[in-house]
Amino acid sequence: MTATRRARLERAVVLAAGVLVVVWAAAWIRVGIDTGDGGYAVALQLRIAQGDLPLVDELNPQSLGALHGAPFVWLWHQLFGLDGLVLAARAAFLVATLAVGVLAYRALRTVAGPPAAFAAVTVACLAIPYGIPVLSYNTVPILGSVLSAGALAATVETGSRRWAVVCGAALGLGTLANPQWLPAGLVLGVVSLVWLSARLWLPLLAAAAAPLLVLGLWVLAVPGVGRLRNAVSYMQDTRAAITPGSERLENNLHALTSPLLTPTYLVLLALAALVTAGVLLRPRSWVPGAALAVLPVAALVPVLRVAWRPLPAEATTALTLPGDIGATSLQASAAAVGVLLVPCLAWLARHGRRSLFAVGSFGLGVGLVITPLLAASTASGPSRGIAGAGLAVALLVLVLTAIEAAEPARWPVGVAAAVATVAAMAGIASATTFPTVPVGRADTSVSSGAWAGMVGAPGYVDSIRTVRAALAEHADPGDRVLAVAAPAFPLMADVRVGSPMLWLTFWGDGNRRGVRWLEDPANTPDVVLVVGHDARALSRGRALRTDVLAEHLRSGYTVVDTTSDPPLTVLRHNPTD
């Protein structure tokens, strides 16, 4: 086959695969309804869109992650109200991801063929924590780092200042959503100083710093340093009330590394060692390159197999992997992805692929600094995949290098590996969309309200109806509402939010700063909803007797309604003279 015909065939395969991925994603975003994390990110965007300020009204620094999606949510809310808001926000994420993917693909085409560039970008963009397709503090940094990695390769390869600006701006805007990713900027700075001339690294670093400088000036001018410290301290207090930071770090890192000790991954790592030896000892042979193409698929298939395993009829969640390791965002193979970079970097160095080696160094550095930082700070369990988010760039480099290595002499192997890798990642995402209800059990559709057009499990849909009915009955127009253990409640009625943070529950002394916020007459909520286990705990006389938030509610509010299935308690503020 001539080079021209091969190029046409590769482009045709990529175009067809791209269309299929977009069609699949359009169906994927319709699945997953809940009142917790699934709606929380959209509710944060809505709160900011309605005029509340991060660090002032919403004390959780995660509210910075709502800034990117808030303008679209504001526009949708102005035009259509709450109807279909969650699905619309997910569609906005899909459009943003498609834009990032196309731009990153164009950047990587300067250093790699169509199958490798397409597969690498697609897989990395789909490796999102929780499997929640919404612009948020979790997803925006990943999209930013993926685009930054592609633009870095193009910058090193072509010497283009435009790609240098894209590289820096992408990571800067991504870090804006979650300042915990700031060390990734330091890694990028070091890599750019090593691989780029001053003509390129100066605009790159300036573009990366510009969004963060704007954020810093806004913080100084509006919330101020004192409120910033208060918000960060409040978040730390609530995290400590759940699990101490050292224990969170240990649990999440154990979840990342324990798969390496299972027989499946021991075989995979042995294969990686053999491939590394082959690359170093026989660099001109096509065999090590073809074997390298197997590694991404081999890393994904065990996760895919577990994600789609049969579950007992009574099971309600797919997150029951051994050792409490969930399938979301490649959590079960995240550490393997990092280790598998070794043969990839060896191949890149041996074949003089300077541009991709620079990106590989960036991906490895980001993984090493971001992973333990996220592991120590997240309140989520290991199964949610938060700690593995820092390995998105490493995953991109792994897929890109593995497929690129197979193409020179045996290009059909590379095309087949690209298709198989994307299909495996899509299969994992399909099985792990939050709230990870087993496939086939998210079969209840919603026709009205914020979740209109989506499907979910009956229990979650019933819970939303119950909370919505309680708000309609007990919240008057203009009332300020606080909800405990129902962070998505702003999506259920047009009410004013009266909560120091949307994600609020009974955290003992961890809520002291929140209670002080509530004691301000300007912030006092008129109606309080307590949902789920927290509602049961509040109803028991001796339960939560030392919890500062529960004591605050008992002393200033009266119970006006309760339900048992699902558990829900409604309280109204006692006015004082």
Side-chain angles (χ1 to χ4, degrees):
M1 181 180 292
T2 66
T4 302
R5 290 186 62 188
R6 169 186 163 181
R8 288 177 180 173
L9 179 59
E10 287 183 339
R11 287 195 295 269
V13 170
V14 166
L15 179 60
V19 171
L20 288 175
V21 168
V22 171
V23 171
W24 163 82
W28 174 56
I29 62 174
R30 294 185 62 245
V31 181
I33 295 175
D34 78 305
T35 58
D37 295 283
Y40 170 54
V42 182
L44 269 180
Q45 294 177 15
L46 179 61
R47 184 172 192 181
I48 301 305
Q50 291 178 325
D52 283 357
L53 295 176
L55 312 179
V56 177
D57 303 300
E58 172 65 47
L59 301 187
N60 194 331
Q62 291 175 345
S63 56
L64 295 172
L67 296 175
H68 297 73
F72 173 80
V73 167
W74 176 86
L75 179 62
W76 183 274
H77 189 250
Q78 294 298 311
L79 295 175
F80 307 107
L82 293 176
D83 285 342
L85 179 58
V86 175
L87 184 57
R90 291 187 171 199
F93 169 83
L94 181 57
V95 172
T97 303
L98 183 61
V100 167
V102 169
L103 195 54
Y105 172 81
R106 288 188 59 187
L108 290 175
R109 283 289 289 113
T110 63
V111 295
F118 170 76
V121 170
T122 302
V123 171
C125 286
L126 287 177
I128 55 176
Y130 284 80
I132 299 175
V134 175
L135 293 172
S136 70
Y137 54 94
N138 280 330
T139 59
V140 172
I142 292 178
L143 295 180
S145 63
V146 168
L147 179 53
S148 182
L152 176 62
T155 303
V156 177
E157 185 72 15
T158 67
S160 167
R161 285 185 178 180
R162 286 185 298 177
W163 280 124
V165 171
V166 171
C167 176
L171 192 63
L173 290 171
T175 304
L176 200 68
N178 188 345
Q180 287 182 311
W181 280 72
L182 188 58
L186 301 178
V187 174
L188 180 61
V190 172
V191 171
S192 64
L193 289 173
V194 172
W195 293 99
L196 301 175
S197 65
R199 172 182 165 274
L200 295 174
W201 65 255
L202 280 174
L204 186 154
L205 296 182
L212 302 177
L213 179 61
V214 172
L215 175 63
L217 292 175
W218 178 84
V219 169
L220 291 174
V222 182
V225 175
R227 282 176 168 161
L228 173 63
R229 289 176 178 172
N230 182 62
V232 172
S233 297
Y234 188 16
M235 183 182 68
Q236 292 174 339
D237 291 345
T238 59
R239 298 291 188 270
I242 301 170
T243 310
S246 58
E247 187 175 337
R248 288 197 301 272
L249 177 63
E250 180 182 353
N251 291 343
N252 281 286
L253 292 184
H254 173 75
L256 280 168
T257 56
S258 58
L260 300 180
L261 301 179
T262 62
T264 299
Y265 284 102
L266 288 175
V267 172
L268 178 61
L269 296 182
L271 174 62
L274 290 175
V275 171
T276 303
V279 166
L280 295 176
L281 297 176
R282 301 188 63 188
R284 296 189 178 185
S285 172
W286 65 269
V287 176
L292 194 61
V294 177
L295 295 183
V297 181
L300 294 178
V301 166
V303 187
L304 181 66
R305 178 178 57 82
V306 175
W308 282 83
R309 73 200 182 289
L311 291 176
E314 67 275 8
T316 59
T317 175
L319 296 178
T320 54
L321 293 171
D324 191 31
I325 302 166
T328 308
S329 286
L330 307 181
Q331 183 73 6
S333 61
V337 166
V339 174
L340 293 179
L341 270 186
V342 174
C344 291
L345 291 173
W347 187 88
L348 293 171
R350 199 68 167 152
H351 288 79
R353 303 295 291 269
R354 179 172 176 269
S355 304
L356 288 181
F357 192 89
V359 179
S361 303
F362 173 54
L364 186 60
V366 170
L368 289 174
V369 299
I370 294 296
T371 300
L373 187 61
L374 296 179
S377 61
T378 180
S380 303
S383 61
R384 299 307 190 191
I386 300 298
L391 289 161
V393 176
L395 179 61
L396 179 144
V397 176
L398 168 63
V399 174
L400 184 75
T401 306
I403 296 172
E404 191 71 3
E407 286 200 358
R410 297 292 185 271
W411 69 271
V413 177
V415 173
V419 172
T421 304
V422 171
M425 188 67 225
I428 293 169
S430 298
T432 56
T433 298
F434 192 84
T436 53
V437 175
V439 175
R441 298 182 197 173
D443 54 3
T444 302
S445 60
V446 176
S447 58
S448 63
W451 285 270
M454 298 180 62
V455 294
Y460 291 108
V461 175
D462 291 342
S463 176
I464 290 171
R465 290 171 180 161
T466 301
V467 174
R468 186 188 300 169
L471 287 170
E473 180 178 356
H474 298 287
D476 299 326
D479 277 351
R480 294 175 62 88
V481 177
L482 176 149
V484 178
F489 78 92
L491 302 176
M492 301 176 207
D494 275 314
V495 296
R496 298 168 61 205
V497 177
S499 174
M501 59 172 61
L502 290 181
W503 192 260
L504 187 68
T505 188
F506 293 126
W507 283 312
D509 284 345
N511 269 326
R512 289 198 179 276
R513 295 175 189 272
V515 169
R516 283 201 294 269
W517 187 93
L518 292 170
E519 289 172 344
D520 184 338
N523 298 329
T524 300
D526 303 289
V527 177
V528 176
L529 276 70
V530 186
V531 181
H533 296 298
D534 286 354
R536 292 194 186 99
L538 186 66
S539 66
R540 293 195 291 267
R542 299 188 59 175
L544 301 175
R545 60 184 182 276
T546 62
D547 187 279
V548 293
L549 177 58
E551 180 58 30
H552 176 77
L553 297 181
R554 286 182 178 133
S555 62
Y557 292 79
T558 300
V559 175
V560 296
D561 194 10
T562 60
T563 63
S564 58
D565 188 19
L568 174 69
T569 299
V570 182
L571 305 95
R572 184 164 266 285
H573 183 243
N574 301 324
T576 56
D577 296 331

